[in-house]
Amino acid sequence: MIIRLAAAQHATGCDVAENLDTTLRMIDLAAGERPDVLVLPEFGNHLSVYDSFDHARSVAIDLDGPWVERVGSAARRHGF
């Protein structure tokens, strides 16, 4: 069995909504290569620098929340 992999690398900033838009755009762009698996950046939702614990907590995403759901939905739509 052959599995086609793709990796998406992009700049991540401090705006979680903007980072989601970028991630979704990268998913759509990668779809043109028809991968089976797409690897996204480790810190795709927020730059990995935080002012405090409270700041980190305020920008954290829930694994069962809308950020992950939208990424998963886009991946499913493209058959990843």
Side-chain angles (χ1 to χ4, degrees):
M1 171 188 258
I2 295 175
I3 297 176
R4 240 175 117 80
L5 300 175
Q9 186 63 40
H10 58 83
T12 301
C14 295
D15 184 322
V16 176
E18 184 177 314
N19 294 331
L20 176 58
D21 290 342
T22 300
T23 299
L24 295 173
R25 195 169 54 254
M26 294 295 106
I27 290 170
D28 290 341
L29 184 62
E33 300 301 320
R34 302 176 51 90
D36 298 301
V37 176
L38 173 62
V39 179
L40 296 167
E42 179 179 10
F43 290 99
N45 66 308
H46 191 278
L47 188 64
S48 63
V49 176
Y50 308 99
D51 297 330
S52 65
F53 177 79
D54 289 335
H55 176 228
R57 191 176 187 96
S58 74
V59 296
I61 56 173
D62 292 322
L63 293 178
D64 62 349
W67 207 97
V68 174
E69 174 53 39
R70 290 197 54 203
V71 170
S73 178
R76 283 188 300 276
R77 183 174 69 248
H78 292 298
F80 299 165

